[in-house]
Amino acid sequence: MAVKIRLARRGRKKAAIYDIVVADARSPRDGKFIEKLGTYNPNTNPASIDFSEEKAFQWLMNGAQPTDTVKAMLSYRGILYKKHLQIGVVKGAISQETADARFEEWKKEKEAKIESKRTTLGSEKEAKRKAAFDAETKVKEARAEAIRQREADKAAANAPAAEAEEAPEAPAAEGESTEEQA
């Protein structure tokens, strides 16, 4: 019986979440499986991969064949590298302590890369949000200035008319005062 480590789809339409399962190669994609190892959510950035690394390593050492996508995930998490080191230990090329030390060193470097990607994505998202807010503020200020300008133009248009009305009244008032003085 050929055993595969593969994905089984679940979730709603256009928002799929996958289970990482060990199944008979002849069983359908979402059908019967031997063991569930974890989950994979491609909807997040970076994608969320959560599975039992010990069980996956054990199944790989027992001969289970991963599909291409699962193989990429196992490589991303270092399980294939751990298998490579373990085969070296079995053949006598390196000791178990050396293999464990190399794997831990690799895992620390990988975690640092993942964390730097998360912080970079977070800072880029914050920068985009701030740039959008600044652009929106500029548009708002431009609109407010345009409204102020219209109000000032309206006031200026009304002011000469008011001054024109006041100007004839002012000479008439002076004329009346001259008559009163005479």
Side-chain angles (χ1 to χ4, degrees):
M1 174 169 97
V3 177
K4 288 208 174 262
I5 302 175
R6 64 180 181 202
L7 299 176
R9 189 183 194 281
R10 64 184 176 93
R12 68 179 197 273
K13 185 163 90 172
K14 296 186 180 180
I17 297 175
Y18 297 91
D19 290 329
I20 302 169
V21 296
V22 177
D24 182 5
R26 297 169 292 183
S27 67
R29 177 189 75 178
D30 300 335
K32 186 177 176 183
F33 58 87
I34 300 169
E35 184 177 8
K36 179 179 172 183
L37 299 179
T39 59
Y40 165 61
N41 185 359
N43 301 319
T44 60
N45 191 5
S48 305
I49 303 170
D50 182 34
F51 65 93
S52 173
E53 295 178 0
E54 298 85 29
K55 287 181 182 180
F57 177 71
Q58 180 183 2
W59 277 104
L60 280 175
M61 292 305 289
N62 288 336
Q65 295 297 311
T67 60
D68 292 339
T69 306
V70 174
K71 189 174 186 177
M73 283 187 255
L74 294 174
S75 176
Y76 180 76
R77 295 296 287 266
I79 305 303
L80 294 180
Y81 182 60
K82 188 174 181 179
K83 177 186 174 190
H84 170 75
L85 292 172
Q86 190 62 35
I87 290 172
V89 169
V90 170
K91 289 182 177 179
I94 58 174
S95 67
Q96 185 65 44
E97 294 79 26
T98 307
D100 291 340
R102 286 183 185 175
F103 181 70
E104 288 302 318
E105 180 182 331
W106 180 88
K107 194 159 187 144
K108 286 179 185 175
E109 291 175 8
K110 186 68 172 183
E111 288 297 324
K113 286 180 186 178
I114 292 170
E115 190 58 37
S116 74
K117 181 178 180 181
R118 283 190 185 129
T119 56
T120 302
L121 287 173
S123 63
E124 286 176 359
K125 186 176 180 181
E126 183 65 27
K128 285 181 183 178
R129 189 185 67 76
K130 188 174 186 297
F133 180 76
D134 291 342
E136 188 175 320
T137 303
K138 286 181 183 179
V139 168
K140 181 179 133 186
E141 289 174 356
R143 285 182 184 156
E145 183 60 34
I147 290 170
R148 275 190 236 114
Q149 189 64 37
R150 261 189 271 138
E151 293 296 324
D153 291 345
K154 211 184 268 186
N158 290 340
E163 288 177 11
E165 290 174 6
E166 290 177 13
E169 290 176 10
E174 289 176 11
E176 291 174 358
S177 63
T178 53
E179 290 175 6
E180 290 176 5
Q181 288 176 358

